[in-house]
Structure formats: structure tokens, C-alpha cells
Amino acid sequence: MGQIMINRTEQNKTILSAITCRIIGFVYDICLQSFPKTVRIETTNACNSQCTICPHHKMIRPTKIMEESLFFNIIDECAENRCKEVHLHNFGEPFLDKRLERFVAYSKEKGIEKVKVFSNGSIITGDRARGILEAGLDEIKISFDGASKEEFEEIRRPLKFDEVVENIAGLVKLRNALGKKTKVHVACCSTLDKTRTMQMLESIVDGFSFGKVHNWGTEKYGTDKTSIRKPCSRVWQTFTVLANGDVSLCCLDYDGQIILGRIGVSNNSIMSIWKNNDYRRIRSLHKCGKQNEIELCSNCSKSFI
């Protein structure tokens, strides 16, 4: 009897997953644009931190910085197609790329509406802070995991709590002094006491976002939670270019496990890859609730409600 109940529960989940994915996927299809809404450009995959919640130490692809000509070509195509948002980060610390300020300035000169970076905040000091603000950056989101010095430094090794707090405060102070409009946000997860984190930084930054720790698609999703599938909006909205020009499935594909194309090879463009058969197949599987046929998506916590 127990086995029968388990089988029925799994069947119900499968049916609900199929219905959920078809309905949401249908809406995503209607809203699908001819060019991605957001293009994420990994100008470097190097990082100066070894966070316990990040698999960077598992990455086997070589550390690399993107060729300038490739970056400029990507931005030019984004501008030509009126892409609204460009993120100059992916699986690394963007401020390790000394060209970041110049890349931000070029993107804004080309008319990109929103240019954003995601940083650990450890090296945004002095000339780097001033340079990124003067370049016209629209938003910076800083990862800040841990409500206390001890928790932060346990998670975000070997970064120093006091230094990152000082850098965040200094960046906001300089922004205000320069009269710039750059939004400074803090992103938190693995924080034991969210209230304490907010109280500490709420008078400094422009906003917070609290997220759950995800599994990077590499571990089985917890069966203690609902296992109803949902289609991932990323494959309808975002486009991720790795430092070598490969187009990966999404920002969670840290090793470029699923490559959907390569910019610059055989005249491949963002638009041509965005519309290719590989992307169509991925969207179709998500829309049918068959994420288990995609290795990276099969157990990804982002693929469940």
C-alpha cells in the first residue's frame, strides 16, 4: 500500500509538472524576443575568493580574460539590437579585470540602457571605485553572506568582513559626493539573521535581495520540498557568454558543460545562436517538463517550484 501511495504521489507530481511547465512556458514563448533581454558577459572567470557556497574551486576550464575585440563585438551587436541590459560578470570577480571601467564606459557610450556588475566588494577601493562610477555604471550588486563577522568570514574565505563593509560604505559615499546615480545593492544568502544584516547596512545601500542557496545543478534536489517542475525563465531571457566566447546554458553552468554556440566562429552572432536549434530544444524540454533530459537542469533547484 505504501509503495502504491508513493507511485501515485510521483504520478501526480509528474502531471502537475507537465501542466505547470506548459502554461508558464506558453507565456514565456509569447514574450520571447528576437534578441535576449539580458546579455551576460564574462570578461574574466578569475576570482580572489573561495566561498564555501560557490563551486569555483571545482571549475576545470582555464582561467581566462576575454579578448577586447570579442567584447567590443558583443557590445556592438547588443547596441544594434537595442538590448536593454548587459551584465559584465558571470563566474568570476569582475574587478580583477583592469579593463572593467573602460568596458562599462564603452557599453554606455553605445547606448546600453542598463550596465550592471555583481561583485564580492573586496577590491572596490580608491581609483577603482571612482573609475567605475565615472564610467557610468548603472548598478552594482555586492554579495554579502553572513550577519556577523564570524559568519561572513567563514563563508566568504579569505575576504575580510570589516574591509568589505568599509568598501561598500566608501563606494556609496563617493557616489553621493560625485552626484552619480549608480545603484548599490547587497545580495545575501546563507545569512543566519537577516534582520541583523539589514540593520547593519540599511542606512548605507539602496536595497537588499535575500536569496536561497541553490545547488548549481550538481546535486539532487531535496525531496523534503515540493518537486513540481517549472520552466526556467533564464533560457527565454538571458544569454551568457563565457570568457572564451562560448555561449553556455546559463550562469549556473560554471564549467561550460552545455555549450549552445560560440560567438565569432563561422560568423555566429548572438541573434543566430539565440534562435538556433540547440536553444529551441532546451526551451522545448523546459516547456514540456522534461528538464531531466538536460543534465545540468535535471536536478537544478532553480527548476522546481
Side-chain angles (χ1 to χ4, degrees):
M1 179 65 71
Q3 186 62 46
I4 293 175
M5 290 299 295
I6 291 174
N7 290 340
R8 285 179 178 174
T9 299
E10 290 303 317
Q11 290 174 358
N12 289 339
K13 288 180 180 179
T14 299
I15 294 171
L16 283 173
S17 292
I19 294 172
T20 300
C21 288
R22 287 193 179 278
I23 292 174
I24 298 177
F26 176 75
V27 174
Y28 285 161
D29 273 348
I30 292 176
C31 298
L32 179 65
Q33 300 176 6
S34 61
F35 197 86
K37 176 183 177 181
T38 301
V39 174
R40 183 179 291 104
I41 308 171
E42 181 186 78
T43 72
T44 181
N45 61 345
C47 191
N48 61 336
S49 180
Q50 298 178 356
C51 301
T52 59
I53 58 176
C54 176
H56 195 277
H57 63 284
K58 297 180 180 179
M59 184 181 70
I60 60 175
R61 60 188 175 101
T63 301
K64 183 177 177 60
I65 63 170
M66 180 175 282
E67 294 181 4
E68 288 194 8
S69 58
L70 174 59
F71 176 83
F72 293 140
N73 287 339
I74 293 170
I75 293 299
D76 289 347
E77 186 180 357
C78 287
E80 290 170 6
N81 289 279
R82 299 182 180 180
C83 178
K84 292 186 177 297
E85 191 164 337
V86 167
H87 295 181
L88 303 188
H89 62 262
N90 184 48
F91 201 64
E93 169 50 48
F95 280 87
L96 289 177
D97 188 342
K98 298 296 181 63
R99 308 165 300 174
L100 181 62
E101 294 88 333
R102 184 152 51 90
F103 285 171
V104 170
Y106 184 82
S107 302
K108 294 306 296 181
E109 289 168 5
K110 284 292 181 174
I112 303 299
E113 186 175 319
K114 183 177 182 179
V115 181
K116 175 180 176 179
V117 298
F118 211 129
S119 170
N120 62 35
S122 64
I123 52 178
I124 312 174
T125 60
D127 291 341
R128 300 305 304 277
R130 178 178 291 273
I132 203 68
L133 292 170
E134 292 182 339
L137 184 69
D138 295 291
E139 181 181 335
I140 180 168
K141 185 172 282 190
I142 299 173
S143 297
F144 194 94
D145 301 303
S148 66
K149 176 182 175 70
E150 292 74 23
E151 186 187 9
F152 177 92
E153 294 183 358
E154 175 61 27
I155 295 171
R156 305 193 69 77
R157 306 169 182 173
L159 306 187
K160 300 302 180 184
F161 177 88
D162 293 333
E163 291 178 2
V164 175
V165 171
E166 183 179 352
N167 290 350
I168 294 172
L171 179 65
V172 174
K173 182 178 180 180
L174 181 59
R175 177 202 64 183
N176 295 342
L178 294 174
K180 300 298 182 179
K181 296 181 179 180
T182 305
K183 296 295 182 182
V184 180
H185 290 195
V186 167
C188 301
C189 59
S190 284
T191 300
L192 296 177
D193 187 346
K194 295 179 180 180
T195 303
R196 186 174 174 184
T197 303
M198 290 185 68
Q199 289 175 342
M200 180 177 56
L201 291 170
E202 66 181 351
S203 63
I204 300 176
V205 300
D206 299 308
F208 291 84
S209 61
F210 289 106
K212 298 178 181 178
V213 178
H214 53 76
N215 66 356
W216 298 93
T218 58
E219 300 172 6
K220 187 170 178 58
Y221 187 65
T223 55
D224 57 320
K225 300 178 181 179
T226 178
S227 298
I228 304 302
R229 291 279 189 183
K230 67 173 181 178
C232 182
S233 62
R234 287 172 173 80
V235 298
W236 276 270
Q237 297 180 356
T238 64
F239 189 93
T240 301
V241 188
L242 303 183
N244 67 348
D246 283 345
V247 177
S248 64
L249 176 62
C250 69
C251 59
L252 305 186
D253 187 4
Y254 61 87
D255 243 338
Q257 183 178 343
I258 299 177
I259 299 302
L260 303 175
R262 188 169 191 179
I263 302 295
V265 176
S266 301
N267 295 319
N268 278 348
S269 63
I270 294 174
M271 183 175 287
S272 65
I273 296 172
W274 185 241
K275 296 179 178 180
N276 71 15
N277 289 333
D278 290 331
Y279 249 118
R280 291 176 189 273
R281 174 180 174 273
I282 294 293
R283 294 184 189 115
S284 178
L285 290 173
H286 271 257
K287 190 167 63 175
C288 294
K290 296 181 179 180
Q291 291 91 329
N292 60 313
E293 295 184 23
I294 309 168
E295 186 175 355
L296 193 68
C297 303
S298 180
N299 293 312
C300 180
S301 53
K302 297 290 187 180
S303 286
F304 295 88
I305 293 176

